Amino acid sequence: GARIDLRAAADASLYGLSGYRNTNPSTAGLLRNGEWTVEAGEQGHAGAPWLWSTAGWGVLVDTIGARVRADAGHIVWSGMSRTDAHYFIVTGPPPALFASLRSLSGAAPMFPAWALGFINSQWGIDERQLLHIVRKYRTLGIPLDAYSLDFDWKAWGRDHFGEFRWNTDNFPDGPDGRLKSRLDALGVHLIGIMKPRIHVDTVEGRYASGHDFWFPGRKPEADYFSHKTVQDLNFDRAAVRDWFFNPALRASFAEGIVGWWNDEADTTGDDTQFMNMQRALYDGQRRYFPERRVFSLNRDFYLGAQRYAYAMWSGDIDTGFASMAAQRERMLSAIDDGEMWWGMDGGGFNGNPSPQNYARWIEFDAFSPIFRVHAGHDQRRQPWRFGPRAQVAATAAIRLRYRLMPYIYSYAWQDHVGGIGLVRPLPLAFPREPQLRNDVHAWMFGDWLLVSPVVNENQTRKSIRLPPGTWFDWSTGHRYAGNQEIHIPIDAVGWRDIPMFVREGAIVPTREPEPYAGAQPLRRLDVQMFPSEQASHFDYYADSGDGYTYEHGDYFLQRFDAQRDREGAHVGLESVQGGYRPALSQVLLTVHGIAARTVDASTGVLPHVAGRRALLKRSTGWAAGRDRFGPVTWVLVPAGQARQLRLRAQL
């Protein structure tokens, strides 16, 4: 058969090709030496015919499935789906490699803003329980953006499109839109589970039989939930995809199911079944509801699926600290394969996490791309169900996620245009550092934040390898030199700490946490700046949070710059790009490491104000003081304007 024989440096570190299913050992971590099968796989597996190296190259092969052997610089591809398979070799640092990958395999569209918030998923729930839980989130001040419903929302097993319509026994106010109205008022979106199979002895099942819609070689079988006969659809057929987004499903979308949770389409051995199932929903939603962005969760990944608003999760995982720790290499490997939007069943699907395990899991989950909890039938994953200590710790982590939402959303844009998203494995971010080549204990959250969540029970001290540079502990402000291993204390009593470090040069836009994305118009953007001697920048992105007008320039994009020198620092806000104009009226720049004696703007000298509190009552000006990081200067300027600022430090 076809074979591609390549040579590389014998010591090249290799990544990509394959992730891990939920039960597979993951001791290989991120490196891809030896034999690997390229496939979509099952239960949280990710695959891509994509192999890249920190040596500065990547290889993409045009194949569905393959076998790859990499040994001492000899790389052999075989078992490909076509005898004339093309392959592409790209060169450059990792950002250039992934930009090339996206240009070849397709860009990921933007998710709705709510999909980047906290998602509570549950199997075993009805309308009354749902509303009670959502209202309790609001009463307790715990942010929540979406609720994901399992079998319970569907009339599963019933005739006349029961796979695609509401179960009115559980959700009597679903079909008439009253439930949607109540949840809209509470700021919560509904995600509904979808299955690749339908019941055979129904109107839609008989239609599928008459039109040869069934997956070839798969026999009818009894469904484990309805106990009635079902069969899998063949989503590789265009006619099946066109039919799937049928009038019943369109009605359910209009009535409130606005996100898709696609489950169990990974059992056929077909690498494109899951991709094409979501393709059916993506194409259908964009055709009939173009004003609403598509969001989906899926249980495996094959490169190309990202084109269809495709996030994945790591399958039916166990509770416990060992299972939680093993999610790190699963997340980072999926990202190496090109799936930038990864999530997991926070708290674990099988079993009951201890309060400590739950608290630590939420802290980990808050720094994954998709932030979601889920469990087995009739299990609950709300923070208040695990005791007061876990509730306090989990709530703090959720609120920190929402504080960082301007930063997070900007990286969703970066993924759309550049192919690298929010979470970056350390080899991707620091390709020249041999000691980080297989490090899964920490990762970059965007360009500027390094996180290393606690994943061991009763841990009192933690060792973290800091990359080169200067780093500041986000919680304490303590300064560390990089390129060394540090040892920090861990709170084994309150479980409140999330080891997170901000890199010198960082520019991190933040906001006051809100109960859900878009609950209040953002009037003041708070930008944390840590200028270094090398110029740094951040592209702040905003749009309406939904719809596809951003594809035609309806967005707000402004670059922030910072650089330190002997006298102080230069800070810049560049001209705005895009036609969208948010409600934003002010930008508060918090410039760390400098207590200014004067601040000059390109438009003139800014007025000095005595302290941050007094400054926030003004329309513009500056103040100096100290915070946990040391000397600091706050500068308040109008939003959306280009200007250059010169901060001169106190003598």
Side-chain angles (χ1 to χ4, degrees), residues 48-78:
W50 163 245
L51 182 70
W52 66 276
S53 174
T54 49
W57 55 263
V59 178
L60 176 66
V61 181
D62 181 15
T63 178
I64 303 296
R67 294 186 300 275
V68 180
R69 179 167 183 81
D71 184 18
H74 188 194
I75 303 166
V76 177
W77 294 70
S78 62

Side-chain angles (χ1 to χ4, degrees), residues 134-142:
V134 169
R135 287 167 180 150
K136 189 160 185 175
Y137 271 106
R138 295 293 177 248
T139 300
L140 295 175
I142 304 174

Side-chain angles (χ1 to χ4, degrees), residues 16 44-48 50 52 98 101-102 105 108-109 111 278 295-314 330-343 369-370 415 419-423 425:
H45 194 279
W50 163 245
W52 66 276
F98 278 85
L101 179 66
R102 275 297 190 257
S105 65
F111 287 144
Q278 172 51 25
F295 171 71
S296 70
L297 278 165
N298 310 271
R299 208 171 65 179
D300 74 4
F301 172 80
Y302 198 84
L303 187 67
Q306 75 279 353
R307 295 170 295 188
Y308 307 116
Y310 193 103
M312 70 167 287
W313 89 96
S314 59
R330 285 161 168 77
M331 172 179 72
L332 299 173
S333 293
I335 290 166
D336 281 342
D337 287 340
E339 172 53 290
M340 297 292 155
W341 297 103
W342 178 97
I370 300 298
D415 176 47
I420 295 184
L422 179 63
V423 168

Side-chain angles (χ1 to χ4, degrees), residues 210-228:
H211 290 79
D212 192 26
F213 279 2
W214 303 122
F215 193 90
R218 299 277 290 187
K219 295 180 180 179
E221 59 184 358
D223 179 66
Y224 68 84
F225 193 70
S226 70
H227 307 295
K228 298 178 181 179

